[in-house]
């Protein structure tokens, strides 16, 4: 699903954010990507969504050669990816249903599809009874669940969760990771990026560690 082959990224100021990194995340896998601030985690995400291109090496997502994608094909790549942010990024003026329905409404998804799919994904994240609530009426954990439902609504092949627990207390963080794991068990590949090593140790599993732009280790933590 995700493959980096000898990827390096040098920003215009001369900083080498990634140095000859190779990694593979197979379809259906759940992988943590860990590293301290400045390790290169955001640069990795920016590569996967084609916000930047590699300075050298190859990046593949769902079989697409991301570095060589033409500008007018980037939307095709982004359709494969659901994104969960640290700060939820919900639209304050829209209720839960409309937040989740926002992206499909901007595409060619029919009203009938949304009337079924939006409640379905909200039920998956345990929030069907909050469908008419405004974001300000929800706890942080509930807002992140809405964000996860929004990421799932177009049925992506890959979920990228970028520090999804950064604004949450430890118990709620655990619940969000459990939910990401449940999503993964239904077949969606999940890459969760975090600097919070204690959660990774608590959950275990495939863990890719970046340090100063290099892959430090890639192992299954038990
Ligand atoms: P992380 O997400 O792990 O904190 P980043 O990928 O944001 O790490 O950053 C990796 C390195 O690249 C850091 O040294 C950072 O200062 C540098 N960097 C990140 N973005 C840019 C940019 N747009 N221009 C120049 N340097 C950058």
């Amino acid at each position: 699903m995700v493959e980096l082959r000898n990827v390096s990224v040098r920003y215009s100021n001369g900083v080498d954010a990634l140095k000859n990194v190779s990694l593979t995340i197979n379809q259906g896998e759940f992988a943590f990507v860990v590293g301290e601030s400045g390790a290169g985690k955001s640069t990795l995400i920016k590569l996967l969504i084609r916000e930047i291109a590699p300075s050298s090496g190859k990046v593949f997502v769902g079989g697409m050669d991301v570095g060589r994608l033409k500008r007018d094909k980037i939307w095709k790549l982004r359709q494969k990816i659901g994104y969960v942010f640290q700060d939820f990024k919900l639209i304050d003026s829209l209720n839960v249903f409309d937040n989740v329905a926002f992206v499909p409404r901007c595409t060619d998804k029919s009203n009938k599809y949304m009337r079924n799919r939006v409640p379905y994904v909200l039920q998956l994240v345990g929030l069907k009874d909050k469908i008419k609530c405004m974001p300000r009426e929800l706890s942080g954990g509930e807002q992140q669940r809405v964000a996860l439902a929004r990421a799932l609504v177009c049925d992506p092949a890959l979920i990228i969760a970028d520090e999804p627990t950064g604004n949450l207390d430890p118990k709620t963080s655990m619940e969000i990771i459990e939910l990401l794991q449940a999503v993964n068990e239904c077949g969606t590949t999940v890459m969760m990026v975090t600097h919070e090593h204690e959660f990774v140790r608590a959950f275990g599993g495939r863990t890719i560690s970046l340090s100063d732009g290099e892959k430090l280790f890639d192992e299954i933590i038990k």
Side-chain angles (χ1 to χ4, degrees):
M1 173 54 55
V2 171
E3 187 182 357
L4 269 69
R5 281 188 209 153
N6 304 106
V7 168
S8 297
V9 173
R10 172 170 289 178
Y11 286 111
S12 53
N13 60 356
V15 170
D16 289 312
L18 289 178
K19 301 170 194 161
N20 199 29
V21 172
S22 296
L23 61 89
T24 304
I25 299 173
N26 291 318
Q27 194 167 342
E29 255 194 304
F30 185 110
F32 287 112
V33 174
V34 298
E36 302 303 326
S37 180
K41 306 182 299 298
S42 306
T43 300
L44 169 61
I45 293 174
K46 284 188 220 163
L47 282 171
L48 299 181
I49 61 174
R50 189 51 173 90
E51 205 175 300
I52 59 170
S55 309
S56 62
K58 289 270 187 199
V59 179
F60 296 93
V61 175
M64 295 174 110
D65 184 344
V66 174
R68 300 192 65 181
L69 264 190
K70 297 248 163 48
R71 264 187 192 284
D72 62 345
K73 292 285 183 306
I74 291 177
W75 64 272
K76 275 197 161 180
L77 165 75
R78 294 188 182 159
Q79 267 191 338
K80 292 178 190 280
I81 302 173
Y83 207 95
V84 180
F85 305 89
Q86 175 172 350
D87 58 354
F88 323 134
K89 293 209 191 308
L90 300 181
I91 301 172
D92 293 338
S93 57
L94 298 181
N95 70 19
V96 165
F97 181 97
D98 289 332
N99 261 286
V100 175
F102 188 79
V103 171
R105 271 192 184 132
C106 298
T107 66
D108 54 0
K109 298 274 188 268
S110 70
N111 280 336
K112 183 163 175 257
Y113 173 88
M114 280 182 347
R115 274 200 306 276
N116 293 323
R117 180 76 183 165
V118 174
Y120 172 72
V121 290
L122 282 167
Q123 180 198 316
L124 283 183
V125 301
L127 278 186
K128 208 172 166 192
D129 56 333
K130 305 271 182 184
I131 204 158
K132 292 197 174 133
C133 288
M134 301 302 283
R136 65 174 175 277
E137 297 170 318
L138 303 176
S139 69
E142 287 168 339
Q143 290 188 51
Q144 194 57 299
R145 284 168 187 263
V146 177
L148 182 54
R150 179 186 55 191
L152 288 169
V153 74
C154 291
D155 198 18
L158 170 68
I159 293 273
I160 298 176
D162 184 6
E163 302 275 4
T165 58
N167 286 353
L168 303 175
D169 61 70
K171 179 171 171 285
T172 312
S173 296
M174 297 294 227
E175 288 167 5
I176 291 293
I177 301 172
E178 279 164 8
L179 203 47
L180 284 166
Q181 288 190 326
V183 165
N184 170 249
E185 275 158 27
C186 295
T188 311
T189 309
V190 177
M191 184 181 107
M192 175 172 155
V193 175
T194 182
H195 67 279
E196 295 176 302
H197 296 262
E198 65 273 26
F199 293 127
V200 179
R201 276 192 291 272
F203 281 89
R206 173 86 186 277
T207 306
I208 300 160
S209 167
L210 295 176
S211 175
D212 195 20
E214 292 181 89
K215 193 170 84 175
L216 198 60
F217 64 79
D218 180 351
E219 59 193 25
I220 311 281
I221 296 182
K222 295 219 168 88

